[in-house]
């Protein structure tokens, strides 16, 4: 392993992990259930678990992330639980068997390890459900499989009473996992996952726990809300409220936006600004997901690169990008100045197909062997598409052509590796820009303190950016996943009754 890679890996491991366990639950007389969370700060003694998570993060494809539109799908790709694992306690069976699970708005099934899991090491390090010891267990047996980016779980459905806080959901269908291959679940601090997404993405068309809470009248209102405490010095990790909101955990009014695609809690989002300067990338709209199961904030490489440049992160130089700027930069700029649609610029110069797909372009085979020309063509088309957005953004700010070309060339050095974080200088955090997301026509600011992870103090302090790249192609994309980095500073309400998501400044 090279020295440069080791250096990068050290920084990738130096993120703050909140490991949250349900410390208490409180059933209120108003029909709400409050579940408190605790957190534990990552230190160098428990860095091994973090390393194992991070080394396995990049093995999944954005195309896999949305392979659940098929009504007959029997597997659903989910995210890694990287730098934060928010989980809570619940029980299954009579007498109750205790488990911990991620409360995940990005999935919809409940699963836990089964006592019949014999050949997966992960099962021996977590609590396992014993059907034979529960008087309320009902045999189901329907097979189930969920595929993850770094592995998969498989098993079968069972039915039993599930208790979350003071709420008992009788005859709840859930998955007993009999196979948990891979390293991810071995080092996980949670036993399973309790999905809070829509039924449309539920494996096996199983009714989610949350649906049964509502349909059986166990909560006052068909809403639940998250408050995630991002203060590293505060032992209280946050709170989930089923059936309502806790007014003491937010300021002002929530801004609500309708869910545009049931499955994930997905909604339309406006443009993103860096230090008050619009990027223009989402000026015509983008889609976003509020996801409690993702700790970071992911978005298209084009904008993440612009953010990386603004905060001075250590990126990965892209020769294809610099080649495009050097050979075609002026031609692209001339086209943009003459009001050519940025989406058509790259097709006009022959680097992309007319419809924007990555086709083989003329003039590339001369610099590579024929066998890999298509791969280079795809890389250069992607670089061209990003560069046209960067140039258009600078043109809208009335920058000179010389400055625009120089800026685009600079950004080539800040293109991130997909699904990986970038290291930043801890001493410059205070001078980093505000990154603003437009939701419901209103600005939502993220300060450097919100989006930078820091571990250690003084000269040993290490910092990484909480922004990471993931490219989802149309028609699903461009898409942003607003994980805990966003849900921390903004109290989030998931309104199932009115099919909307709301955000307010956390208190």
């Amino acid at each position: 392993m090279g020295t440069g890679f080791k250096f990068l890996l050290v920084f990738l491991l130096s993120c703050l992990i909140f490991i949250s366990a349900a410390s208490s639950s409180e059933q209120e007389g108003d029909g709400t259930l409050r579940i408190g969370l605790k957190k534990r700060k990552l230190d160098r003694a428990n860095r091994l678990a973090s390393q194992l998570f991070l080394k396995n993060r990049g093995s999944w494809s954005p195309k896999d992330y949305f392979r659940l539109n098929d009504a007959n799908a029997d597997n659903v790709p989910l995210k890694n639980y990287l730098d934060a694992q928010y989980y809570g306690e619940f029980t299954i069976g009579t007498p109750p068997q205790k488990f911990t699970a991620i409360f995940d708005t990005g999935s919809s099934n409940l699963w836990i390890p089964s006592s019949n899991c014999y050949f997966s090491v992960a099962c021996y390090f977590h609590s396992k459900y014993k059907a034979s010891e529960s008087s309320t267990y009902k045999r189901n047996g329907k097979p189930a499989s969920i595929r993850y980016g770094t592995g998969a779980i498989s098993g079968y459905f069972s039915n039993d009473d599930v208790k979350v806080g003071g709420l008992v959901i009788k005859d709840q269908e859930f998955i007993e996992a009999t196979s948990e291959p891979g390293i991810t679940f071995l080092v996980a601090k949670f036993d399973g996952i309790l999905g809070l997404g829509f039924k449309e993405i539920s494996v096996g068309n199983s009714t989610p726990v949350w649906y049964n809470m509502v349909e059986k009248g166990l909560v006052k209102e068909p809403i639940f809300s998250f408050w995630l405490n991002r203060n590293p010095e505060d032992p209280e990790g946050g709170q989930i409220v089923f059936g309502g909101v806790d007014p003491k955990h937010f300021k002002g009014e929530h801004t609500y936006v309708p869910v545009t695609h049931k499955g994930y809690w997905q909604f339309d989002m406006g443009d993103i600004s860096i230090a008050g300067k619009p990027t223009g990338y989402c000026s015509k709209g983008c889609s976003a997901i509020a996801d409690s199961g993702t700790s970071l904030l992911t978005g298209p490489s084009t904008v993440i690169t612009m953010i990386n440049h603004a905060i001075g992160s250590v990126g990965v130089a892209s020769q294809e990008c610099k080649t495009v700027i050097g050979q075609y930069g002026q031609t692209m700029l001339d086209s943009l100045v003459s009001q050519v649609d940025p989406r058509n610029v790259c097709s006009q110069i022959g680097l992309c197909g007319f419809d924007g797909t990555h086709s083989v372009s003329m003039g590339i085979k001369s610099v590579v062997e024929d066998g890999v020309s298509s791969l280079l063509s795809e890389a250069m088309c992607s670089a061209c598409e990003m560069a046209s957005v960067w140039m258009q953004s600078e043109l809208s700010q009335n920058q000179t052509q010389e400055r625009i070309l120089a800026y685009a060339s600079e950004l080539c050095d800040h293109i991130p590796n997909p699904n990986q974080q970038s290291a930043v200088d801890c001493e410059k955090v205070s001078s980093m820009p505000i990154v603003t997301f437009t939701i419901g026509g209103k600005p939502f600011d993220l300060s450097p303190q919100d989006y930078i992870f820091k571990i250690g103090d003084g000269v040993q302090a290490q910092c990484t950016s909480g922004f990471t790249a993931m490219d989802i192609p149309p028609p699903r994309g461009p898409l942003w996943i607003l994980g805990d980095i966003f849900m921390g500073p903004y109290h989030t309400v998931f309104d199932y009754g009115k099919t909307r998501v709301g955000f307010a400044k956390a208190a």
Side-chain angles (χ1 to χ4, degrees), residues 226-370:
F226 275 78
W227 169 64
L228 303 180
N229 188 356
R230 304 294 279 185
N231 180 356
E233 305 304 324
D234 193 335
E236 185 177 9
Q239 184 184 75
I240 305 172
V241 180
F242 290 103
V245 299
D246 192 335
K248 70 181 180 183
H249 288 315
F250 64 89
K251 303 174 183 177
E253 299 293 328
H254 286 82
T255 296
Y256 285 95
V257 287
V259 171
T260 56
H261 185 84
K262 279 189 176 182
Y264 303 107
W265 290 85
Q266 183 172 330
F267 54 91
D268 288 336
M269 184 179 74
D271 204 13
I272 297 94
S273 298
I274 305 171
K277 173 184 172 182
T279 63
Y281 188 82
C282 292
S283 59
K284 296 183 180 180
C286 284
S287 293
I289 292 171
D291 188 355
S292 63
T294 295
S295 58
L296 306 178
L297 197 157
T298 76
S301 296
T302 302
V303 186
I304 297 299
T305 300
M306 298 170 77
I307 295 173
N308 280 350
H309 176 266
I311 67 178
S313 67
V314 177
V316 179
S318 170
Q319 187 59 47
E320 292 83 6
C321 178
K322 290 190 174 183
T323 298
V324 168
I325 301 299
Q327 293 185 7
Y328 305 100
Q330 187 61 56
T331 302
M332 294 169 62
L333 188 54
D334 292 342
S335 296
L336 292 169
V337 170
S338 61
Q339 304 299 308
V340 172
D341 189 325
R343 293 172 297 181
N344 296 331
V345 167
C346 298
S347 63
Q348 286 192 356
I349 62 177
L351 289 183
C352 297
F354 180 76
D355 60 357
T357 59
H358 298 220
S359 58
V360 176
S361 59
M362 298 178 62
I364 293 181
K365 291 186 178 181
S366 61
V367 295
V368 293
E369 296 295 330
D370 289 351

Side-chain angles (χ1 to χ4, degrees), residues 68-372:
L68 44 84
N69 236 2
D70 183 357
N72 298 315
D74 61 356
N75 56 70
V76 180
L78 301 176
K79 292 76 55 197
N80 248 346
Y81 298 96
L82 311 174
D83 306 308
Q85 298 177 30
Y86 284 91
Y87 64 91
E89 292 181 351
F90 68 101
T91 66
I92 301 180
T94 308
Q97 301 175 36
K98 184 181 293 186
F99 301 95
T100 57
I102 296 282
F103 287 89
D104 178 25
T105 60
S107 65
S108 299
N109 288 89
L110 168 61
W111 69 262
I112 44 86
S114 171
S115 60
N116 291 322
C117 180
Y118 301 115
F119 302 108
S120 295
V121 177
C123 290
Y124 291 92
F125 287 86
H126 295 91
S127 299
K128 295 188 289 185
Y129 171 72
K130 303 176 179 64
S132 61
E133 297 182 5
S134 174
S135 62
T136 47
Y137 161 75
K138 293 182 180 179
R139 179 180 175 82
N140 183 316
K142 182 173 59 178
S145 177
I146 302 179
R147 179 166 50 83
Y148 291 78
T150 55
I153 67 107
S154 61
Y156 52 84
F157 283 97
S158 293
N159 290 65
D160 208 336
D161 293 352
V162 173
K163 185 176 181 181
V164 180
L167 304 181
V168 178
I169 304 95
K170 293 185 177 296
D171 196 28
Q172 173 65 47
E173 189 173 50
F174 65 96
I175 298 172
E176 287 192 54
T178 57
S179 176
E180 297 182 31
I183 200 71
T184 302
F185 300 120
L186 174 63
V187 299
K189 299 297 182 181
F190 53 89
D191 300 316
I193 294 174
L194 196 157
L196 295 172
F198 288 92
K199 189 175 181 178
E200 280 77 358
I201 61 171
S202 177
V203 168
N205 199 36
S206 178
T207 301
V209 171
W210 166 247
Y211 276 55
N212 280 327
M213 285 185 181
V214 174
E215 293 171 3
K216 296 180 180 182
L218 300 180
V219 292
K220 180 182 179 181
E221 297 182 69
I223 66 175
F224 59 91
S225 55
F226 275 78
W227 169 64
L228 303 180
N229 188 356
R230 304 294 279 185
N231 180 356
E233 305 304 324
D234 193 335
E236 185 177 9
Q239 184 184 75
I240 305 172
V241 180
F242 290 103
V245 299
D246 192 335
K248 70 181 180 183
H249 288 315
F250 64 89
K251 303 174 183 177
E253 299 293 328
H254 286 82
T255 296
Y256 285 95
V257 287
V259 171
T260 56
H261 185 84
K262 279 189 176 182
Y264 303 107
W265 290 85
Q266 183 172 330
F267 54 91
D268 288 336
M269 184 179 74
D271 204 13
I272 297 94
S273 298
I274 305 171
K277 173 184 172 182
T279 63
Y281 188 82
C282 292
S283 59
K284 296 183 180 180
C286 284
S287 293
I289 292 171
D291 188 355
S292 63
T294 295
S295 58
L296 306 178
L297 197 157
T298 76
S301 296
T302 302
V303 186
I304 297 299
T305 300
M306 298 170 77
I307 295 173
N308 280 350
H309 176 266
I311 67 178
S313 67
V314 177
V316 179
S318 170
Q319 187 59 47
E320 292 83 6
C321 178
K322 290 190 174 183
T323 298
V324 168
I325 301 299
Q327 293 185 7
Y328 305 100
Q330 187 61 56
T331 302
M332 294 169 62
L333 188 54
D334 292 342
S335 296
L336 292 169
V337 170
S338 61
Q339 304 299 308
V340 172
D341 189 325
R343 293 172 297 181
N344 296 331
V345 167
C346 298
S347 63
Q348 286 192 356
I349 62 177
L351 289 183
C352 297
F354 180 76
D355 60 357
T357 59
H358 298 220
S359 58
V360 176
S361 59
M362 298 178 62
I364 293 181
K365 291 186 178 181
S366 61
V367 295
V368 293
E369 296 295 330
D370 289 351
V372 295

